[in-house]
Amino acid sequence: MTIVPVLLAGGAGTRLWPLSRKSFPKQFSPLISDESLFQASTRRVAGPSFAPPLVVTGADFRFIVTEQIAEEGLPSGDVLIEPSPRSTAPAVLAAALWLTRNDPDALMLVAPSDHAIPDTAAFIACVEAGRSAAEAGELVTFGIKPTRAETGYGYIEVSGQTDCLGPAPVKRFIEKPDAASAAKMLAAGTFLWNAGIFLFSARAIISAFEQHAPAMIAPVRASVEGAKADLDFHRLDASAWSDLPDISIDHAIMEKADNITTVPFTATWSDLGDWDAVAREMTQDDGGNALKGNVTAIDCQGSLLRSEDTGLEVVGLGLENALVVATRDAVLVADRSRAQDVKDAVAALRAREAPQAESFPWDARPWGRFETLALGPRFQVKRIVVKPGGILSLQSHHHRSEHWIVVEGTARVTISDEVKLISENQSVYVPLGAVHRLENPGKVPMVLIEVQTGAYLGEDDILRYEDVYARNQGAKG
């Protein structure tokens, strides 16, 4: 029996700000290699033991998911779109109910899509070690052999030592401990880090919800049964979903069930939950510094320095145990001991409505991406990149006119009833209210500079008439 990977890709972690934000969270970013964490996750479960992955994500990320899977050259399974984030318990239950439509005994490997697991062979061997227990109706977790007294992870206490290769009975789950408790658990040798990765049959996990979280069954089932097709995606019904609690699978099920076993995993693993964790996974220089991008470190020790913009130089001088992460519009400077507290900085930015709290200066779209280069009270300058074959919606605006200048490639432009090709160094004017469309008919990315002028320049000033990506009205649809 093949295992169906269920990849959870709807989260928007804040501890890796400013690289991870609500508009483009960490799972889709190349944090420690040239591929994104989501891509690494899909490749990890692409072997003969696995079916194509079932991905659970949010509406804003649906095209990113399919595009990144296609870039890996891997087959894509179903993509379920959550109407709103509700943590992992509703997402797991929805995936189980979805799979039971064809096979009630389907084996599900539930995994976050933002973890680093370099040794794929060891990971697959660990999954196979838990297969028989999962087929027998057990809820199998995968615990990580701890290498330090970590306070940022939850723990699993097992019956006996953690050196066994097969499933071991679980005694209890422990929330993130203080430093003293973490040190005692490390010394005891009977505790594992909780990786948040699970293997069970759809039947077994649904039964566990019926026993331990029965109030969730009806709304999730109604949401699944009311799912609507949206191109190649499946939108879960929003009306039923809105009644669900925001609760993790650990709190809803794992801390209550009595049929849980764990398989210890002794190879390298990290949830990359904060910048300190990222630094540990990066190559380090002789001073223990983790460096990425246009960075110069002078007399620095144990620091993380990253430049996420090719035009931005980061120079560290005499730093010790520092975190410096620079993007085009925001810079984080912190002591490494405060890595877990970056979320508090994001909360402070949200409180004063700073756009950097949740949004990048660039924005992903199914046809490509755009970024704001300059913004004033009545004008905005954007750089728009349209991938080969990309087509923007047929649209108009109530409050702005636009001037397009092609700087790379060729654009096919529709303005009212006129359709024409605009090549590099040519421009076209789109009057206020005119129905228009932009396409890239070529085989290379097309880049243009857009100058907007008008009384209101918000992304929600879009009235769509046709859209090949089946989006609704508004900024993203």
Side-chain angles (χ1 to χ4, degrees):
M1 177 188 296
T2 57
I3 297 170
V4 181
V6 176
L7 298 180
L8 306 179
T14 57
R15 290 185 178 90
L16 290 180
W17 184 89
L19 185 62
S20 176
R21 307 186 199 181
K22 183 179 179 181
S23 65
F24 199 87
K26 70 170 183 172
Q27 59 264 30
F28 302 118
S29 297
L31 264 178
I32 55 175
S33 71
D34 291 336
E35 65 181 356
S36 74
L37 299 177
F38 176 78
Q39 288 174 313
S41 298
T42 59
R43 184 170 44 79
R44 189 178 305 124
V45 293
S49 298
F50 302 101
L54 169 62
V55 180
V56 185
T57 190
D60 288 350
F61 311 135
R62 64 194 189 278
F63 293 107
I64 300 172
V65 162
T66 52
E67 181 176 311
Q68 292 201 352
I69 292 176
E71 287 174 356
E72 290 289 294
L74 299 174
S76 177
D78 290 335
V79 178
L80 300 184
I81 300 174
E82 297 176 287
S84 58
R86 285 294 187 272
S87 195
T88 55
V92 171
L93 180 55
L97 291 169
W98 185 263
L99 293 175
T100 58
R101 300 175 315 147
N102 297 317
D103 182 5
D105 293 308
L107 284 185
M108 307 166 52
L109 177 67
V110 177
S113 60
D114 57 358
H115 289 186
I117 307 175
D119 193 338
T120 296
F123 175 76
I124 293 176
C126 194
V127 172
E128 290 296 337
R131 177 192 285 268
S132 59
E135 290 176 337
E138 293 287 297
L139 307 181
V140 180
T141 72
F142 296 91
I144 310 301
K145 180 83 174 195
T147 57
R148 61 187 181 277
E150 175 63 55
T151 60
Y153 299 151
Y155 285 71
I156 302 170
E157 185 178 10
V158 301
S159 298
Q161 292 295 304
T162 58
D163 294 325
C164 63
L165 296 179
V170 171
K171 293 181 67 175
R172 60 177 174 138
F173 288 81
I174 298 107
E175 293 288 341
K176 296 177 182 179
D178 57 31
S181 299
K184 290 180 180 178
M185 288 188 285
L186 179 65
T190 57
F191 294 85
L192 300 165
W193 291 335
N194 183 4
I197 303 174
F198 309 99
L199 178 67
F200 36 64
S201 69
R203 186 190 301 275
I205 192 62
I206 292 171
S207 176
F209 271 95
E210 290 172 341
Q211 181 177 358
H212 303 291
M216 296 181 63
I217 294 290
V220 175
R221 189 183 300 278
S223 191
V224 169
E225 291 177 350
K228 303 295 184 184
D230 175 1
L231 298 179
D232 293 330
F233 312 106
H234 305 276
R235 288 182 180 268
L236 300 175
D237 181 73
S239 60
W241 194 263
S242 63
D243 295 331
L244 289 164
D246 188 339
I247 186 171
S248 70
I249 188 70
D250 293 282
H251 290 324
I253 302 300
M254 297 300 163
E255 294 175 358
K256 303 173 183 177
D258 57 7
N259 59 330
I260 301 180
T261 59
T262 189
V263 178
F265 183 66
T266 58
T268 301
W269 167 91
S270 175
D271 73 343
L272 299 176
D274 59 37
W275 284 117
D276 189 51
V278 172
R280 285 194 296 268
E281 298 303 314
M282 293 173 61
T283 301
Q284 300 182 1
D285 66 12
D286 293 341
N289 302 299
L291 312 176
K292 182 178 183 293
N294 299 330
V295 167
T296 301
I298 302 172
D299 295 332
C300 295
Q301 297 289 324
S303 295
L304 169 68
L305 304 178
R306 290 176 66 118
S307 171
E308 303 295 340
D309 190 297
T310 56
L312 193 154
E313 292 284 340
V314 172
V315 179
L317 179 60
L319 299 177
E320 185 173 350
N321 296 322
L323 299 175
V324 180
V325 182
T327 63
R328 203 187 89 189
D329 66 331
V331 180
L332 169 70
V333 181
D335 190 275
R336 282 185 67 165
S337 66
R338 301 294 300 274
Q340 287 278 328
D341 299 328
V342 172
K343 65 182 186 302
D344 298 333
V346 177
L349 291 173
R350 278 202 199 106
R352 59 184 186 85
E353 299 182 348
Q356 290 89 341
E358 297 187 342
S359 301
F360 286 98
W362 57 264
D363 210 338
R365 292 291 190 269
W367 44 260
R369 61 189 284 172
F370 69 83
E371 60 180 319
T372 298
L373 303 179
L375 178 64
R378 292 184 60 86
F379 78 92
Q380 182 169 207
V381 181
K382 290 182 178 180
R383 179 177 180 266
I384 297 177
V385 181
V386 184
K387 61 188 179 184
I391 305 174
L392 281 68
S393 61
L394 185 67
Q395 59 184 253
S396 65
H397 309 295
H398 293 296
H399 303 288
R400 70 175 186 253
S401 59
E402 297 171 341
H403 189 186
W404 296 339
I405 306 152
V406 176
V407 294
E408 292 182 29
T410 299
R412 180 185 290 122
V413 175
T414 300
I415 302 176
S416 299
D417 296 328
E418 183 181 8
V419 180
K420 56 184 176 180
L421 294 178
I422 304 296
S423 300
E424 184 175 317
N425 205 33
Q426 293 182 321
S427 63
V428 65
Y429 176 67
V430 182
L432 185 150
V435 177
H436 60 278
R437 168 173 275 165
L438 179 66
E439 308 174 45
N440 180 2
K443 297 182 178 180
V444 297
M446 184 270 291
V447 183
L448 64 81
I449 302 300
E450 177 183 84
V451 180
Q452 303 175 352
T453 57
Y456 177 73
L457 306 170
E459 282 302 306
D460 54 348
D461 181 23
I462 297 176
L463 178 60
R464 289 191 177 93
Y465 303 96
E466 296 176 6
D467 184 50
V468 297
Y469 307 107
R471 291 171 296 169
N472 297 319
Q473 302 299 332
K476 292 188 178 182

